[in-house]
């Protein structure tokens, strides 16, 4: 079977100099044109491997249409808004890792393909871009029969010189280096972390720092997270594995079996809540969700309510909906120290409580919220046992984003240690 490499021009010796822009522009958009291509492809097949945080979009055995070439060409462009409003690619600061100096240096040629989609599962997804009204989202449906791939391409001048776009100086990536030298790096057997994975992938397990250099492919995933890299004593940059991989330590938390990725995107070291401490902002929080964490209470405090974790759109109490989705506190009551979980609008009682907790003993809590027969079911699961449950007919809403406090600005922080923090779709 004959295969051809996809290139724009064949059998041309290109000069080494390129044509650059006179003025540096932030070309981070694409303007696309339908084209007629003189190339006549024979039998070409490719796999398209999606980025590691969206592995479900990977498609394999994609065959380009024979006797045809590209049908679309996309040109890097800069967008100027002519109507009222300001284009903000960070979506109001939600995309914290957005590089304002990024740009595309090449064109793209797009080809129609036929892929093996028998096992491809692409549910409808909520999306957002600069054209959404503030606070709103929209839904897109993926058509498995309408797949195209786009490859980097370069136009040529009349002198057969490559047209290459010169980009602004890139923004330096955050460094994960620390004052610790790789030669001094030692493994921390108590620190465990997780990475993004697709259901059934070998990456869907708990790892230790030493695994970074012994588990194939883990380095790129683990070192992408600055907190994991630092917690593992920059094992990501070490030349040798610090120690042998410790035995995997699985605790009794139910979330180990969860098929959905952790929406916090990071692995937290055990920590204590502090006042007005925002640990994350979740964009498009799931409608039905599961929140799991280990909790060790260290002392009783005089305050009745002590903040542990609080998901909120900005307020302490509803209305509007979104003030406590959920809110988690320790309550010093006549029954002892209890975990109290409050959900917006739940009734007849808008909160649930756990049995009394012993001090300096770790408990594994799972907080769930899901639709059951047109009602909402709320649960507290403690060490694998459901200890509190409630049903409500409250009209829950899809939210644009929520801030996650540990602890919040309205109550004193709990004297407790939080570990194994995990939040996902139910």
């Amino acid at each position: 079977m004959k295969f051809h490499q996809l290139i724009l021009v064949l059998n041309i010796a290109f000069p080494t100099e390129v044509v650059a822009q006179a003025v540096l522009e932030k070309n981070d958009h694409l303007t696309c044109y339908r084209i007629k291509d003189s190339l006549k492809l024979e039998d070409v097949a490719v796999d398209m491997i999606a980025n590691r945080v969206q592995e479900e979009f990977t498609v394999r055995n994609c065959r380009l249409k024979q006797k045809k070439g590209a049908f679309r060409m996309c040109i890097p462009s800069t967008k100027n808004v002519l109507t009222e409003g300001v284009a903000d690619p960070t979506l109001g600061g939600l995309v914290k890792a957005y590089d304002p100096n990024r740009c595309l240096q090449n064109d793209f040629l797009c080809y129609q393909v036929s892929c093996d989609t028998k096992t491809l599962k692409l549910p409808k997804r909520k999306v957002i871009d600069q054209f959404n009204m503030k606070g709103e989202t929209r839904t897109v449906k993926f058509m498995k029969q309408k797949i195209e791939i786009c490859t980097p391409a370069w136009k040529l001048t009349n002198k057969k010189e490559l047209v290459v776009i010169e980009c602004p100086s890139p923004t330096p990536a955050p460094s994960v280096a620390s004052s610790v030298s790789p030669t001094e790096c030692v493994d921390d057997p108590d620190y465990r972390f997780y990475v993004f994975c697709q259901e059934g992938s070998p990456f869907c397990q708990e790892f230790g720092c030493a695994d970074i250099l012994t588990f194939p492919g883990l380095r790129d995933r683990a070192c992408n997270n600055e907190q994991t890299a630092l917690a593992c004593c920059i094992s990501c940059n070490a030349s040798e594995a610090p120690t042998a991989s410790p035995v995997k330590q699985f605790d009794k938390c139910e979330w180990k079996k969860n098929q959905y990725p952790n929406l916090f995107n990071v692995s937290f070291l055990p920590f204590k809540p502090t006042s007005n401490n925002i640990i994350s902002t979740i964009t498009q929080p799931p409608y039905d969700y599961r929140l799991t964490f280990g909790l060790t209470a260290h002392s009783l405090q005089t305050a009745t309510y002590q903040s542990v974790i609080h998901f909120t759109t900005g307020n302490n109490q509803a209305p509007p909906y979104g003030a406590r989705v959920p809110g988690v506190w320790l309550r010093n009551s006549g029954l002892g120290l209890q975990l109290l979980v409050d959900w917006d609008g739940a009734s007849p009682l808008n909160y649930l409580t756990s049995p009394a907790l012993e001090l300096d003993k770790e408990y594994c809590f799972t907080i769930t919220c899901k639709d059951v027969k047109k009602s909402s079911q709320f649960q507290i699961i403690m060490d694998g046992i459901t200890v509190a449950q409630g049903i409500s007919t409250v009209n829950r809403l899809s939210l644009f984003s929520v801030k996650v406090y540990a602890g919040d600005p309205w109550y004193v922080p709990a004297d407790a240690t939080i570990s194994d923090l995990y939040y996902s779709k139910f």
Side-chain angles (χ1 to χ4, degrees):
M1 185 175 291
K2 192 174 181 181
F3 291 85
H4 288 267
Q5 185 182 9
L6 297 182
I7 54 178
L8 179 62
V9 181
L10 300 175
N11 299 324
I12 294 179
F14 299 123
T16 55
E17 64 181 80
V18 299
V19 177
Q21 296 179 162
V23 179
L24 298 180
E25 299 173 331
K26 297 177 181 179
N27 293 300
D28 57 354
H29 289 63
L30 291 173
T31 304
C32 297
Y33 299 84
R34 292 297 293 264
I35 62 171
K36 290 184 178 181
D37 188 358
S38 60
L39 179 65
K40 304 299 181 183
L41 291 169
E42 295 189 23
D43 194 5
V44 179
V46 296
D47 289 338
M48 298 301 293
I49 312 302
N51 55 80
R52 61 176 175 266
V53 297
Q54 300 183 91
E55 292 178 335
E56 67 272 23
F57 287 90
T58 291
V59 287
R60 299 188 182 277
N61 194 25
C62 295
R63 296 189 174 275
L64 282 69
K65 288 192 174 182
Q66 296 189 43
K67 307 302 180 182
K68 291 184 179 293
F71 76 103
R72 193 191 313 275
M73 191 169 198
C74 297
I75 315 301
S77 309
T78 298
K79 181 183 68 183
N80 293 323
V81 179
L82 303 181
T83 52
E84 183 179 358
V86 178
D88 180 9
T90 72
L91 303 178
L94 291 176
V95 188
K96 297 184 183 301
Y98 185 84
D99 185 351
N101 289 328
R102 73 174 189 172
C103 81
L104 300 170
Q105 292 187 279
N106 53 267
D107 302 323
F108 288 88
L109 282 171
C110 300
Y111 300 81
Q112 294 176 325
V113 296
S114 176
C115 304
D116 183 1
T117 59
K118 293 179 181 178
T119 60
L120 190 62
K121 297 180 180 179
L122 298 178
K124 294 180 181 179
R125 293 294 182 89
K126 289 187 179 296
V127 299
I128 184 170
D129 67 5
Q130 299 169 38
F131 296 111
N132 282 90
M133 297 295 291
K134 185 176 181 181
E136 294 182 352
T137 63
R138 63 184 191 266
T139 301
V140 297
K141 181 179 179 181
F142 295 91
M143 312 297 290
K144 294 193 296 184
Q145 295 78 18
K146 302 289 184 179
I147 299 177
E148 59 189 70
I149 64 172
C150 298
T151 64
W154 287 265
K155 291 190 289 294
L156 301 175
T157 68
N158 292 334
K159 296 180 180 180
K160 298 181 180 180
E161 295 174 339
L162 291 174
V163 177
V164 179
I165 301 168
E166 185 177 349
C167 290
S169 299
T171 302
S175 173
V176 298
S178 74
S179 59
V180 182
S181 166
T183 58
E184 300 171 353
C185 188
V186 293
D187 188 33
D188 179 0
D190 295 326
Y191 181 73
R192 322 301 298 172
F193 65 89
Y194 295 79
V195 297
F196 279 110
C197 67
Q198 189 174 9
E199 184 179 3
S201 165
F203 288 101
C204 294
Q205 60 172 295
E206 184 182 57
F207 291 102
C209 296
D211 296 319
I212 289 175
L213 294 176
T214 59
F215 193 97
L218 181 60
R219 175 194 288 267
D220 290 341
R221 294 172 182 244
C223 298
N224 188 51
N225 182 303
E226 181 176 355
Q227 181 171 348
T228 299
L230 291 175
C232 287
C233 190
I234 60 171
S235 295
C236 298
N237 301 322
S239 58
E240 296 180 358
T243 68
S245 178
V247 177
K248 299 289 184 293
Q249 299 172 0
F250 293 95
D251 63 29
K252 55 194 173 185
C253 288
E254 182 183 2
W255 72 268
K256 307 291 187 186
K257 304 175 183 177
N258 193 3
Q259 62 177 308
Y260 297 110
N262 188 354
L263 296 180
F264 282 123
N265 296 338
V266 297
S267 298
F268 290 98
L269 287 169
F271 68 98
K272 289 187 175 183
T274 57
S275 182
N276 196 21
N277 178 30
I278 297 178
I279 62 171
S280 184
T281 298
I282 306 293
T283 305
Q284 305 300 310
Y287 185 74
D288 293 341
Y289 58 84
R290 180 198 306 261
L291 170 66
T292 297
F293 54 92
L295 186 70
T296 304
H298 300 299
S299 69
L300 293 171
Q301 298 189 76
T302 55
T304 303
Y305 300 104
Q306 305 148 36
S307 176
V308 178
I309 305 170
H310 190 162
F311 289 66
T312 176
T313 53
N315 297 321
N316 177 34
Q317 294 183 342
Y321 179 82
R324 298 178 176 182
V325 285
V328 181
W329 292 264
L330 287 178
R331 183 175 74 165
N332 188 359
S333 67
L335 298 176
L337 195 63
Q338 300 172 293
L339 189 80
L340 181 146
V341 184
D342 189 325
W343 291 271
D344 276 1
S347 62
L349 197 63
N350 66 333
Y351 63 86
L352 298 173
T353 57
S354 74
L357 308 179
E358 296 181 27
L359 296 181
D360 295 320
K361 177 180 178 180
E362 184 178 22
Y363 296 88
C364 178
F365 285 101
T366 298
I367 313 300
T368 68
C369 178
K370 64 178 181 178
D371 268 0
V372 178
K373 296 181 179 179
K374 298 183 179 180
S375 297
S376 296
Q377 182 187 75
F378 308 94
Q379 288 183 321
I380 298 179
I381 301 170
M382 187 170 79
D383 291 344
I385 300 174
T386 301
V387 295
Q389 181 172 294
I391 295 290
S392 170
T393 56
V394 63
N395 181 27
R396 292 191 290 131
L397 305 174
S398 296
L399 300 174
F400 176 67
S401 69
V402 292
K403 297 177 181 178
V404 185
Y405 288 93
D408 66 29
W410 302 286
Y411 296 88
V412 299
D415 181 18
T417 298
I418 300 172
S419 63
D420 295 320
L421 188 56
Y422 189 92
Y423 175 68
S424 74
K425 178 181 177 181
F426 193 89

